[in-house]
Amino acid sequence: MTLDLTADAVALTEQLVNMESVSRDEQAIADAVEAALTPLDHLTVSRHGNTVVARTDLGRGERVVIAGHLDTVPVNDNLPARREGGLLHGLGSCDMKGGDAVILRLAATVPEPNRDVTYILYDAEEIEAEHNGLNLLAQRQPELMAADFAILMEPSNAVVEAGCQGTLRVDVRTRGERAHSARSWMGVNAIHGAAEVLRRLDEYDARRPVIDGLEYHEGLNAVFIRGGVAGNVLPDECVVEVNFRFAPDRSEADAEAYVRELFEGYDVSLTDSAPGALPGLDVPAAKAFVEAVGTTVNPKFGWTDVARFSGLGVPAVNFGPGDPMLAHKQEEHVPMEHIERCEAQLRGWLTA
Amino acid sequence: MTLDLTADAVALTEQLVNMESVSRDEQAIADAVEAALTPLDHLTVSRHGNTVVARTDLGRGERVVIAGHLDTVPVNDNLPARREGGLLHGLGSCDMKGGDAVILRLAATVPEPNRDVTYILYDAEEIEAEHNGLNLLAQRQPELMAADFAILMEPSNAVVEAGCQGTLRVDVRTRGERAHSARSWMGVNAIHGAAEVLRRLDEYDARRPVIDGLEYHEGLNAVFIRGGVAGNVLPDECVVEVNFRFAPDRSEADAEAYVRELFEGYDVSLTDSAPGALPGLDVPAAKAFVEAVGTTVNPKFGWTDVARFSGLGVPAVNFGPGDPMLAHKQEEHVPMEHIERCEAQLRGWLTA
């Protein structure tokens, strides 16, 4: 598979969507990105697993990171890409190959930006943080992420979305005692024991705090459930995997404590955690970018690597084509006009 | 692996337990059984998948079937066999390799029984009925199961257990709509939707009808639950696999209607069903056997192939070593004295 960077950003989005790249299966798309960027003389390209970094080195007074992830959630009968009216449909069109296409077009066509740029296209954003390509880069070569400001091209309706919510996962486990299902009074059914766990999830009422004038919206969801030994055995274990999305006014520790209290009486073990990021619009570099592109500012509900940059002391915002409400839905799509507008605004900012 | 039929029945049980034979993996044990029986001149041995049939053909006025299954539920850190006091511990010791050992000892050492005997050792009793070796034999060569009376050596505390409860399985399915878990208000969580299904299971109150003086005991249990798409996606489906064990005064159709009514409002699909068997102690051949061995009579809670023989018009009872309450439990074991007593009583009956 090869990418044609002379195509316009919409056609390039289409090419990227048609390169299936479910998390942990990004080698082909990363190979194509690396092969497309390497011939460009104004960029220094390096490869880190399935993450590709391309940098200008013009000695400008400021450096910005523009980043996007290459992976998608599992295929859901929504490939290949399809154009209809002003929309491009298909898995990843919104989350976030439209943004990736803008990154690749800028990398290919702005050889002398007014600030140095580090373009990062990385893998494994849709799964556990331990696999996240940007996380691994931050641990192993943080110098490649150093910048005055970062823009993540996560879908944000082509306006600036500030901050992000944190995310954590816990396994809530119920235990029982195996017995033959024909003599069930001799055992304890661990799946039945999960009824109350699911009831608490079903009755959960989401908090919606307002921070810096932006309304966040928390969420608590079972994302997996499993239990069972054999068709005639009472199961002795049931595991509910719960994902908590928490507003950035909670720390990871506060969020964990909240979930542990909610599931008091059950065996709760933390499996994954990433902090949120406060809106951070008071940082000068962020203010300057927002003024330059002239868009409105909304809160970011999804966890994004904004938090990872915040953790490294680099102010960062989300700014990309597509409606984040459509991310991970079968009917995912992106307005072509969003892709064109994001590209034009960033090109204007980098060449003013 | 070979079996030594000159060993006593307890030692033979130990040999059988140490031949791991989880359902669908019975070839090795069936090979050993076939190889041990084939050299015996007074038996005609035939093989049907992993089911072995051995028959005397002495022209007696009566024929009886003595049958047992060779498979076990999954291993649960309970192998190899271990003797302690008067007990033999280990997977399958109770359900039902003690009974199988008695069958093999009788087959080897009673060359001229006073009634013709058909010994049947079969596979896949612990899983869906479609795989059950005796069921397949009944469909393909029912003449091999023809008899005046049948004894199933399922564990019954070395006393006669009459009739058996029926069993059926349904998948109870909830549906939702996928969405990114960071914007969960855009979707519907199918796992949360299963809270009410589990609540109904948890609150189920078992019926205990008395039939022919024997108290049966129904049971309704989730045996599997599954749901989930990815760690950050609201799942659009959750499936609870439910096993209903019903008393023999209900037909399969009645039992299915009961379960469908209990889960009204949900998508319920039947995946497996087998009828119960009424106690049937009014049949002369059954009465005669009970009088000959002189034991008490209890109800049978577990589904057994008693029902399959009843369906073919052959009266049948359960009579085997081991406490059925221990079947499928990690600490499964069998009193050695049960094995010896069952062997002695059947030997007496076949040689009187």
Side-chain angles (χ1 to χ4, degrees):
Chain A
M1 296 188 292
T2 58
L3 284 169
D4 175 12
L5 299 192
T6 68
D8 64 57
V10 171
L12 194 49
T13 304
E14 203 166 9
Q15 292 178 47
L16 290 165
V17 168
N18 289 337
M19 290 183 178
E20 192 178 314
S21 59
V22 176
S23 306
R24 308 306 279 158
D25 193 20
E26 302 99 332
Q27 184 169 344
I29 199 168
D31 286 351
V33 165
E34 184 184 10
L37 293 176
T38 300
L40 300 170
D41 289 339
H42 62 281
L43 296 174
T44 304
V45 177
S46 59
R47 174 81 174 247
H48 315 266
N50 287 326
T51 292
V52 179
V53 179
R55 299 160 52 94
T56 66
D57 209 352
L58 300 164
R60 305 299 193 209
E62 188 176 289
R63 175 174 290 280
V64 296
V65 169
I66 306 180
H69 64 81
L70 294 168
D71 61 320
T72 71
V73 292
V75 183
N76 188 13
D77 195 21
N78 49 5
L79 283 180
R82 174 173 58 84
R83 292 185 192 220
E84 193 176 310
L87 303 177
L88 180 71
H89 294 261
L91 176 64
S93 56
C94 170
D95 186 14
M96 58 173 284
K97 291 180 173 179
D100 295 336
V102 171
I103 292 171
L104 290 169
R105 280 293 291 170
L106 294 172
T109 61
V110 184
E112 296 196 343
N114 54 15
R115 32 183 63 83
D116 273 310
V117 186
T118 304
Y119 301 101
I120 304 179
L121 290 146
Y122 60 100
D123 64 336
E125 192 270 351
E126 299 290 7
I127 55 173
E128 290 75 15
E130 65 183 298
H131 302 297
N132 182 300
L134 200 66
N135 187 24
L136 296 176
L137 199 66
Q139 288 170 21
R140 294 171 187 168
Q141 292 184 263
E143 70 278 9
L144 288 176
M145 288 171 64
D148 299 284
F149 179 54
I151 297 164
L152 292 175
M153 298 210 64
E154 285 280 353
S156 60
N157 277 314
V159 301
V160 173
E161 289 190 343
C164 79
Q165 301 200 125
T167 178
L168 66 76
R169 288 186 180 77
V170 291
D171 284 347
V172 183
R173 190 171 266 105
T174 61
R175 295 187 198 281
E177 193 189 349
R178 292 189 198 186
H180 195 299
S181 61
R183 292 170 290 277
S184 47
W185 57 96
M186 295 297 289
V188 178
N189 193 316
I191 294 176
H192 299 192
E196 171 63 14
V197 174
L198 297 193
R199 190 191 65 77
R200 292 183 195 175
L201 284 166
D202 202 36
E203 295 186 353
Y204 166 79
D205 192 26
R207 196 174 68 101
R208 301 169 72 158
V210 175
I211 306 168
D212 288 1
L214 302 172
E215 187 186 74
Y216 289 88
H217 192 148
E218 297 189 329
L220 187 73
N221 279 278
V223 288
F224 284 104
I225 189 166
R226 61 182 180 275
V229 176
N232 53 2
V233 177
L234 262 67
D236 55 357
E237 183 177 89
C238 180
V239 179
V240 186
E241 189 175 327
V242 174
N243 183 208
F244 182 37
R245 300 288 179 145
F246 53 96
D249 59 345
R250 286 195 207 264
S251 68
E252 286 177 274
D254 290 345
E256 183 181 346
Y258 172 79
V259 171
R260 287 191 181 280
E261 188 183 335
L262 188 72
F263 294 113
E264 203 176 338
Y266 295 92
D267 175 358
V268 175
S269 59
L270 185 73
T271 59
D272 190 35
S273 175
L278 287 163
L281 293 175
D282 51 343
V283 177
K287 272 190 187 157
F289 173 75
V290 169
E291 282 165 19
V293 298
T295 76
T296 53
V297 178
N298 292 326
K300 186 68 179 175
F301 297 118
W303 188 90
T304 76
D305 286 310
V306 163
R308 216 173 292 288
F309 281 103
S310 294
L312 289 174
V314 179
V317 296
N318 305 281
F319 174 67
D323 180 350
M325 298 287 194
L326 291 168
H328 302 201
K329 302 199 84 169
Q330 187 178 29
E331 66 271 27
E332 177 180 354
H333 58 253
V334 63
M336 299 179 198
E337 178 272 327
H338 279 197
I339 299 173
E340 290 156 358
R341 183 146 47 96
C342 281
E343 183 190 353
Q345 287 177 306
L346 285 169
R347 183 184 301 279
W349 178 60
L350 290 176
T351 59
Chain B
M1 295 188 290
T2 58
L3 284 169
D4 175 12
L5 300 192
T6 67
D8 64 55
V10 170
L12 193 48
T13 304
E14 203 166 9
Q15 291 178 48
L16 289 166
V17 168
N18 290 337
M19 289 183 178
E20 192 179 311
S21 59
V22 176
S23 305
R24 310 304 279 156
D25 194 20
E26 302 99 332
Q27 183 168 346
I29 199 168
D31 286 350
V33 166
E34 184 184 10
L37 294 176
T38 300
L40 301 170
D41 288 340
H42 61 283
L43 295 175
T44 304
V45 177
S46 59
R47 173 81 175 249
H48 315 266
N50 287 326
T51 292
V52 179
V53 179
R55 298 160 53 95
T56 66
D57 208 352
L58 301 163
R60 305 297 194 211
E62 188 177 288
R63 175 174 290 279
V64 297
V65 169
I66 308 181
H69 64 81
L70 294 168
D71 61 319
T72 70
V73 293
V75 183
N76 188 14
D77 195 22
N78 50 4
L79 284 179
R82 174 173 59 84
R83 292 184 193 221
E84 193 178 312
L87 303 178
L88 180 70
H89 295 261
L91 176 64
S93 56
C94 171
D95 184 16
M96 58 172 287
K97 292 179 173 179
D100 294 336
V102 171
I103 291 172
L104 289 169
R105 280 293 289 170
L106 294 171
T109 61
V110 184
E112 296 195 342
N114 53 14
R115 32 183 62 86
D116 273 310
V117 186
T118 304
Y119 300 102
I120 304 179
L121 291 145
Y122 60 101
D123 64 335
E125 193 269 350
E126 298 290 5
I127 54 173
E128 291 74 17
E130 65 183 299
H131 302 295
N132 182 300
L134 200 66
N135 186 25
L136 296 176
L137 199 66
Q139 288 170 23
R140 295 171 187 169
Q141 292 184 262
E143 70 278 9
L144 287 176
M145 288 171 64
D148 299 283
F149 179 55
I151 297 164
L152 291 176
M153 298 210 64
E154 285 280 351
S156 60
N157 277 314
V159 302
V160 173
E161 289 190 342
C164 78
Q165 301 200 123
T167 178
L168 66 76
R169 286 184 183 78
V170 291
D171 285 345
V172 182
R173 190 172 265 105
T174 61
R175 296 188 197 279
E177 193 189 347
R178 292 189 198 184
H180 194 298
S181 63
R183 290 171 291 277
S184 47
W185 56 97
M186 294 297 290
V188 178
N189 193 316
I191 294 176
H192 299 192
E196 171 64 14
V197 174
L198 298 192
R199 190 192 65 77
R200 292 183 196 176
L201 285 166
D202 202 37
E203 294 185 355
Y204 165 79
D205 192 26
R207 196 173 67 102
R208 300 168 73 156
V210 175
I211 306 168
D212 289 3
L214 303 173
E215 187 185 76
Y216 289 88
H217 193 148
E218 297 189 328
L220 186 73
N221 279 278
V223 288
F224 284 104
I225 189 166
R226 62 180 179 277
V229 176
N232 54 2
V233 177
L234 262 67
D236 55 356
E237 183 177 89
C238 181
V239 179
V240 187
E241 189 175 328
V242 173
N243 183 209
F244 181 38
R245 300 289 180 145
F246 53 96
D249 58 346
R250 285 195 207 264
S251 68
E252 286 176 275
D254 290 346
E256 183 181 345
Y258 172 80
V259 172
R260 287 190 183 278
E261 188 183 334
L262 188 72
F263 294 114
E264 203 178 336
Y266 295 93
D267 174 358
V268 175
S269 59
L270 185 74
T271 59
D272 191 35
S273 175
L278 287 162
L281 294 175
D282 51 343
V283 177
K287 272 190 186 154
F289 172 76
V290 169
E291 281 165 19
V293 298
T295 76
T296 55
V297 179
N298 292 326
K300 186 67 178 176
F301 298 118
W303 188 90
T304 77
D305 286 310
V306 163
R308 217 174 289 289
F309 282 103
S310 294
L312 289 174
V314 180
V317 297
N318 305 281
F319 175 67
D323 181 350
M325 299 288 195
L326 291 169
H328 301 200
K329 301 199 84 170
Q330 186 178 31
E331 66 270 27
E332 177 180 356
H333 58 254
V334 63
M336 300 180 197
E337 179 273 326
H338 280 196
I339 298 171
E340 291 156 357
R341 183 146 47 94
C342 282
E343 182 189 356
Q345 287 177 306
L346 284 168
R347 184 183 303 279
W349 178 59
L350 290 175
T351 59

